[in-house]
Amino acid sequence: MNEFLAPASGFPPPADTRAAASFVADFAAIGAAARRFADAAPGRALLDCLGGNAPHLAHLALRESDIPPRVLAEGAGPVMDEALALLREADPLATRAAIGRILREVKRRAALAIALADLSGAWGVEQVTAALSDLADASIGLALRHLLRHLHERGTISLPDPADPERASRFAVLGMGKLGARELNYSSDIDLVLLFDPSSSVYRDDSQSAMARLARDLVPLLTERDADGMVFRVDLRLRPDPAATPPVVSLAAALSYYESQGRTWERAAFSKARPVAGDRDFGASFLEQIRPFIWRRNLDFAAVAEIHEMKRRIDQRRRDAPGRIAGRDVKLGRGGIREIEFIVQTLELVWGGHEPALRIPATLPALRALAAAGHLPRAAARDLAAAYRALRQVEHRLQMVEDRQTHTLPETEAGLARFATFMNMPDAARFAAWLDAVCETVNAIFADFFDTDPGSGKDGAPDPGESGAAPDAFAGQAQSLGFADPQHLAVRLRLWRNGTLPALRTARARELLDSIMPALLRALGRQTDPDLAFRRFDRMLERQSAGVSLLSLFQHNPALLDRLATVLGAAPPLADHLASNPGALDALLAPVARFTRPGPALRRLLRDAADLETALDTLRRFVRREEFHLAVATLERRISADQASLWRTDLADAALAALLPRVMADFAARHGRVRGGRFAIVALGRVGAREMQPGSDLDLMLIYDHPPEAAAARLPPSQYFLRLAHALVAAITAPGAEGAIYAVDMRLRPSGNKGPVAVSLAAFRRYHAEEAWTWERLALTRARVLAATRGFAPVVDAEIRAALARDIPPATTCADTVAMRARLARDAPPAGPFDLKHRAGGMMELGFIAEALQLVHFRGAPSRFRQRTAEALAELEACGALDPAEAGALAAADRWYRAVQAMRRITGLADPRPDSPKSALAPILAAAGALDFDGIIATMEAQAAVVRTSFVRHLGDPRGITNPRGDTA
């Protein structure tokens, strides 16, 4: 946008100088104070502006002549505070006429004060719209208190607190649209939904007719215009099925409607809803109950098409041309306010179910949040925010003129010139250029957002024919895209187009499929094996029961097709996961990976979980989705395997930190609590080292503590914590529709599988002081507290450090480690050359080097222990145990092994061979930094040689042990 063309600040000059002069004279005639104000330059500028541009405001100023001087002297804030206080303090038992006069007087005074703050530039759009919304809230509140109290006095209802009629009345007024978002304009309707609970003791059996009368009284009290003016126009048509329902809807009827019949436009409407008057707790409870209707769990890109269709119908009634501003509707027209609102509401409806932080009613904060979340380019969000402010300013000035609910600019040149002056622009041409630039910026972003057609292409969708051999033209086109089997492609595409698949039975689904077909085939054709990628997509589509939402998602996200094709082409496990869980596609769309900070996102999602089972379902979905996202990001080489391992561990940390207090609370509800009891989850192995691989189990140890005299309500403390441990492990491993949260391995706890599932802190201390085997001390070098009750983590960490500091002769540690390696070589030999963990010089030996050398060199300095292999090697280099070259070579081997291991798991290619599918082998070669299969073998042997040489140098040669002995305690 051309910001230099923006309107100037300060009171605009008068467009009609005669009218201005006449108004100034009328104002000065009110009295001496008014005359002094009119004679002063600031006062004269204000009065000229009103008299020469806005007859409605001029009329208000003559009636409320104290407001202009007060606003210039004090600002509009004190006037607003005074006005709102008058509404709050009014007696609800006053007569209907008295209440009407108060409402209209406050509206006149507040509206004038707000307009003056707006025209002077003292208040921006956000302050203006918030003040108008606060005025509406307070006005509705007074009107409702008056009506409820009078119903109570007549015995029609029985209020719990007649002195405060709104409290616990089980009657709520929900503000919708601009009022709900606190974005009201000067002449807005206020969209309201009136809701009550007839089952409450407040209401009698025949209460529905009484509530209908209340609504009929409320509307004219706010809407009718008399000599004192008008308060607000009221629209009750956003209630469920307005043609068939009474103006006040019962709670049961509203819930039933939104659970079964609610439409997309109603989801959009309720995304802005808030209680504005009445029993606000009751209103908030209702909105919470329909939250699943508003915010869908799965991404619903069909909503994009529905909202676009709404805008298309609006556009059919208006044909605005670029460059033509006269007669333009700044709300509904090309590049208008509605286009900005549609972009925001659509993105919020699509993503808000997953990301509660995006459930923001107001447009400007929502734009900032959508940009921060990566769902809208930051530049686009900035342009839309600037345009929104500009368009709202134009809308406000249009309505100030005559207090009309208008959004349309003057049709005539003279009218446009006058309005340009009111906008503080030098002339109509400059105003038109500025506003046209604003609107064209908005329209370009809107068109880019809604009108994307990934299927458009010069060649269009290929025609596979009706039956028999694939047509020559089709076969040629398919082969040019890279497909080797055009006949199979043709047969399957015919089935798709005939609606044979359940997902493609509707005409709309087949329409969407045709629109994406060219882009889909191009994306699949770019894979190493296009035919295999196509078969996997076909299998995924076959498993869907409905296709409109899925295909809409592809239509509005062209980049998703390329990313999906990459997954289908290279990673069968991920492709199978997609086929069974199409919701996993959500992860491919998230522009900012949530795994960078999973904790806050997970806590927001869990706020909605009412019980442990709901929390477990949420955790399973979240972990599976983020694991899938991490795997895809690694496959696409957007993140390194090293970074993925850190983020995968962060995900596990966040999941268990969120789960532990919920399991403990659920357990306590059934078995009571141990007073002073403490509990910790200790991570070992890969999760402890923050080196989790795709599909890693969680190696865990559970530790508890309690005062000697403590007792639980129903169980002895030791039994209590053992049962709690079993409940926690069951919660982590219990399968759901998304699988388990994680698999758990507890063999690294004291005494392994023979020991209890959880150990007391005292038993842990005693065991590691007297009985622990060397393999257990090796494992303990990876230990860290993953989650714990308040204050317990540092206690457990100190005990772990103390156990690691146990003074064991270095020769014993080395000998036991070598013997253990020899025994594992005998009992668990490598399954093949790519068994990177068990092979000679593999990941196991590399881990032993880092663990054993830390036990040898750091036993007197436990603060130097590091769980992560790379950090341990760096610390060993720093203390002189490893020379820099050796430490660097081992660290490089560690990175190489983990990168290749991760890619093998992601692609499902456990034992790569020269003749393995190229689509799966290629990512592994890339992860290994090898050009071909021979290259990866050579690099693997070189890495293994580095590790084995170091193992032998520092610990000993396991090949020399013919009869591996047991470990030493």
Side-chain angles (χ1 to χ4, degrees):
M1 266 179 284
N2 297 319
E3 296 292 349
F4 64 89
L5 288 175
S9 60
F11 288 111
D16 186 336
T17 54
R18 285 187 186 178
S22 175
F23 168 66
V24 171
D26 290 343
F27 189 88
I30 292 171
R35 186 165 54 255
R36 286 194 298 273
F37 180 76
D39 289 342
R44 181 59 183 260
L46 181 156
L47 297 175
D48 279 344
C49 172
L50 301 190
N53 296 302
H56 168 65
L57 296 181
H59 171 74
L60 293 182
L62 290 175
R63 183 129 187 210
E64 309 294 339
S65 59
D66 64 313
I67 296 296
R70 285 189 61 187
V71 169
L72 282 193
E74 308 168 16
V79 177
M80 280 299 300
D81 292 342
E82 180 184 282
L84 297 179
L86 186 59
L87 293 174
R88 285 194 300 269
E89 295 163 8
D91 182 3
L93 281 174
T95 65
R96 186 73 46 86
I99 294 293
R101 282 194 299 273
I102 293 170
L103 288 167
R104 283 157 178 76
E105 177 189 347
V106 168
K107 172 65 185 296
R108 290 194 309 269
R109 295 176 65 80
L112 178 59
I114 295 168
L116 294 176
D118 184 347
L119 290 168
S120 68
W123 282 8
V125 165
E126 294 97 317
Q127 285 176 285
V128 168
T129 57
L132 289 165
S133 301
D134 290 343
L135 175 62
D137 290 2
S139 300
I140 299 164
L142 173 57
L144 182 63
R145 288 194 298 276
H146 167 73
L147 295 171
L148 288 173
R149 183 61 186 272
H150 276 265
L151 287 175
H152 174 81
E153 294 302 319
R154 291 201 297 268
T156 307
I157 63 175
S158 178
L159 293 171
D161 184 359
D164 184 2
E166 292 176 284
R167 192 181 70 81
S169 64
R170 304 294 287 176
F171 186 105
V173 181
L174 302 179
M176 313 289 284
K178 284 186 165 56
L179 176 60
R182 300 188 76 241
E183 295 176 334
L184 216 56
N185 58 43
Y186 284 96
S187 299
S188 282
D189 284 353
I190 49 175
D191 295 304
L192 305 179
V193 170
L194 309 181
L195 186 74
F196 84 117
D197 180 7
S199 68
S200 165
S201 60
V202 173
Y203 303 100
R204 301 189 318 200
D205 292 341
D206 59 349
S207 56
Q208 185 70 67
S209 60
M211 291 302 97
R213 287 196 302 273
L214 183 149
R216 287 195 295 270
D217 290 339
L218 177 68
V219 172
L221 188 54
L222 295 171
T223 299
E224 285 183 354
R225 187 183 294 273
D226 59 20
D228 292 320
M230 183 190 69
V231 190
F232 288 99
R233 300 174 186 86
V234 175
D235 190 336
L236 300 179
R237 290 175 296 175
L238 290 185
R239 69 185 185 274
D241 195 6
T245 56
V248 182
V249 185
S250 72
L251 174 64
L255 290 175
S256 174
Y257 176 85
Y258 292 117
E259 286 170 1
S260 59
Q261 301 178 52
R263 291 160 289 180
T264 297
W265 72 264
E266 290 169 310
R267 291 176 58 205
F270 271 96
S271 70
K272 292 179 176 291
R274 65 182 175 91
V276 298
D279 186 342
R280 295 181 188 232
D281 290 341
F282 169 58
S285 172
F286 167 73
L287 291 177
E288 176 60 25
Q289 290 179 76
I290 66 167
R291 178 185 48 76
F293 158 69
I294 306 168
W295 309 109
R296 301 289 171 82
R297 192 177 79 183
N298 291 323
L299 299 189
D300 181 11
F301 274 83
V304 179
E306 290 183 48
I307 291 179
H308 190 200
E309 177 61 19
M310 294 181 211
K311 182 61 170 66
R312 190 189 64 78
R313 289 196 296 269
I314 292 170
D315 289 345
Q316 283 180 335
R317 299 194 297 269
R318 303 197 56 85
R319 295 291 182 186
D320 295 324
R324 177 172 169 75
I325 292 301
R328 174 76 63 92
D329 186 321
V330 297
K331 177 182 178 181
L332 301 178
R334 176 187 177 91
I337 295 167
R338 186 55 53 85
E339 290 188 2
I340 301 172
E341 292 173 340
F342 274 177
I343 291 171
V344 170
Q345 287 184 300
T346 302
L347 284 171
E348 287 190 324
L349 289 180
V350 168
W351 291 103
H354 278 261
E355 301 177 46
L358 299 180
R359 300 171 189 176
I360 301 172
T363 303
L364 291 169
L367 283 169
R368 290 192 291 270
L370 289 166
H375 299 303
L376 193 62
R378 289 186 181 274
R382 284 194 299 270
D383 283 349
L384 290 174
Y388 183 79
R389 291 188 176 95
L391 291 166
R392 290 303 302 269
Q393 184 184 31
V394 173
E395 176 189 53
H396 289 169
R397 299 283 165 99
L398 286 168
Q399 294 175 354
M400 287 177 187
V401 176
E402 295 288 356
D403 191 27
R404 289 174 50 235
Q405 189 186 16
T406 182
H407 312 278
T408 304
L409 290 163
E411 294 272 6
T412 66
E413 288 186 16
L416 199 59
R418 286 194 298 272
F419 187 73
T421 300
F422 194 25
M423 283 296 300
N424 233 347
M425 297 294 276
D427 54 52
R430 289 282 294 273
F431 170 69
W434 168 75
L435 187 57
D436 187 54
V438 169
C439 294
E440 288 307 299
T441 297
V442 172
N443 187 252
I445 297 171
F446 180 85
D448 184 56
F449 179 75
F450 278 103
D451 295 335
T452 299
D453 180 7
S456 61
K458 60 182 180 181
D459 297 324
D463 181 7
E466 296 297 324
S467 61
D472 290 343
F474 175 86
Q477 193 171 352
Q479 288 167 342
S480 71
L481 289 171
F483 293 93
D485 189 354
Q487 184 60 33
H488 176 262
L489 191 67
V491 169
R492 295 307 298 173
L493 292 187
R494 290 166 189 163
L495 290 175
W496 289 7
R497 289 185 168 180
N498 291 339
T500 304
L501 275 59
L504 300 173
R505 283 177 183 158
T506 68
R508 176 61 180 152
R510 293 192 294 276
E511 248 176 55
L512 288 166
L513 180 66
D514 283 342
S515 77
I516 68 165
M517 186 68 71
L520 172 64
L521 294 180
R522 287 195 298 270
L524 296 174
R526 284 190 285 269
Q527 304 313 303
T528 308
D529 187 341
D531 296 274
L532 179 61
F534 175 82
R535 284 194 292 273
R536 288 173 180 159
F537 182 89
D538 186 29
R539 189 160 60 246
M540 184 183 81
L541 198 58
E542 264 188 319
R543 295 188 186 182
Q544 309 311 309
S545 57
V548 170
S549 185
L550 179 69
L551 296 170
S552 293
L553 184 140
F554 293 141
Q555 185 190 45
H556 291 282
N557 293 273
L560 178 61
L561 288 171
D562 285 319
R563 300 188 66 197
L564 175 64
T566 299
V567 170
L568 296 175
L574 301 185
D576 289 342
H577 180 72
L578 274 176
S580 303
N581 302 277
L585 284 167
D586 299 359
L588 294 182
L589 285 170
V592 176
R594 285 186 295 272
F595 43 75
T596 56
R597 292 189 69 237
L602 186 52
R603 285 193 294 274
R604 285 193 295 270
L605 287 173
L606 287 171
R607 284 179 198 149
D608 297 332
D611 52 37
L612 180 60
E613 282 305 314
T614 307
L616 291 178
D617 285 341
T618 300
L619 278 163
R620 292 183 193 108
R621 286 194 300 272
F622 186 85
V623 170
R624 293 282 73 75
R625 183 174 65 245
E626 298 310 304
E627 285 275 9
F628 178 79
H629 195 170
L630 275 165
V632 173
T634 308
L635 177 67
E636 295 175 333
R637 305 188 71 187
R638 291 184 289 115
I639 59 173
S640 67
D642 205 42
Q643 183 64 74
S645 68
L646 286 167
W647 282 341
R648 189 171 282 109
T649 308
D650 287 345
L651 176 62
D653 288 2
L656 267 64
L659 179 61
L660 177 60
R662 288 180 174 270
V663 171
M664 293 187 72
D666 180 78
F667 191 79
R670 289 179 283 118
H671 301 289
R673 297 181 185 276
V674 174
R675 187 178 297 277
R678 301 182 291 180
F679 194 86
I681 303 174
V682 176
L684 303 110
R686 288 293 178 191
V687 65
R690 296 177 58 77
E691 295 172 347
M692 285 184 72
Q693 293 275 301
S696 283
D697 292 349
L698 300 185
D699 293 302
L700 300 179
M701 180 192 308
L702 305 178
I703 298 178
Y704 65 90
D705 187 35
H706 59 84
E709 70 283 0
R714 303 175 182 86
L715 295 170
S718 59
Q719 189 177 355
Y720 180 95
F721 285 109
L722 286 175
R723 289 195 182 183
L724 172 61
H726 281 290
L728 176 65
V729 173
I732 299 170
T733 59
E738 307 276 343
I741 301 173
Y742 288 104
V744 170
D745 188 338
M746 304 199 67
R747 288 174 295 177
L748 296 182
R749 68 187 188 271
S751 300
N753 285 338
K754 297 178 181 178
V757 176
V759 296
S760 70
L761 186 65
F764 173 86
R765 183 188 304 119
R766 183 173 57 253
Y767 182 84
H768 277 281
E770 301 170 3
E771 303 177 39
W773 297 74
T774 298
W775 71 264
E776 292 172 307
R777 292 195 294 275
L778 291 172
L780 205 62
T781 64
R782 309 276 188 171
R784 63 184 178 88
V785 180
L786 190 153
T789 52
R790 186 183 299 276
F792 196 37
V795 175
V796 174
D797 185 67
E799 292 294 344
I800 292 170
R801 298 292 171 182
L804 290 172
R806 182 182 172 193
D807 190 15
I808 302 296
T812 300
T813 298
C814 293
D816 284 353
T817 303
V818 173
M820 182 165 55
R821 177 66 187 103
R823 186 171 63 253
L824 288 168
R826 180 195 66 195
D827 297 342
F834 277 89
D835 187 343
L836 302 181
K837 178 179 179 181
H838 295 99
R839 65 157 296 154
M843 299 172 78
M844 181 188 296
E845 287 185 19
L846 181 50
F848 282 163
I849 293 169
E851 294 160 2
L853 289 185
Q854 287 190 96
L855 289 175
V856 168
H857 294 280
F858 298 157
R859 64 189 188 280
S863 64
R864 300 193 72 169
F865 278 88
R866 299 290 182 269
Q867 294 100 349
R868 192 165 169 80
T869 303
E871 294 172 3
L873 294 173
E875 196 70 18
L876 290 165
E877 178 190 343
C879 80
L882 294 173
D883 66 56
E886 185 179 18
L890 289 172
D894 172 58
R895 287 192 301 273
W896 191 90
Y897 277 140
R898 287 191 292 109
V900 174
Q901 180 86 317
M903 201 59 75
R904 286 174 55 236
R905 292 187 178 186
I906 290 169
T907 61
L909 196 56
D911 187 22
R913 300 177 183 277
D915 59 351
S916 295
K918 292 181 181 179
S919 57
L921 187 58
I924 296 175
L925 294 176
L931 297 176
D932 52 28
F933 190 80
D934 290 341
I936 195 173
I937 294 296
T939 304
M940 182 167 58
E941 295 302 326
Q943 302 290 10
V946 167
V947 174
R948 173 51 66 94
T949 299
S950 185
F951 187 95
V952 172
R953 178 185 300 125
H954 295 284
L955 303 178
D957 191 345
R959 292 170 297 186
I961 300 178
T962 56
N963 184 24
R965 59 184 173 82
D967 204 342
T968 301

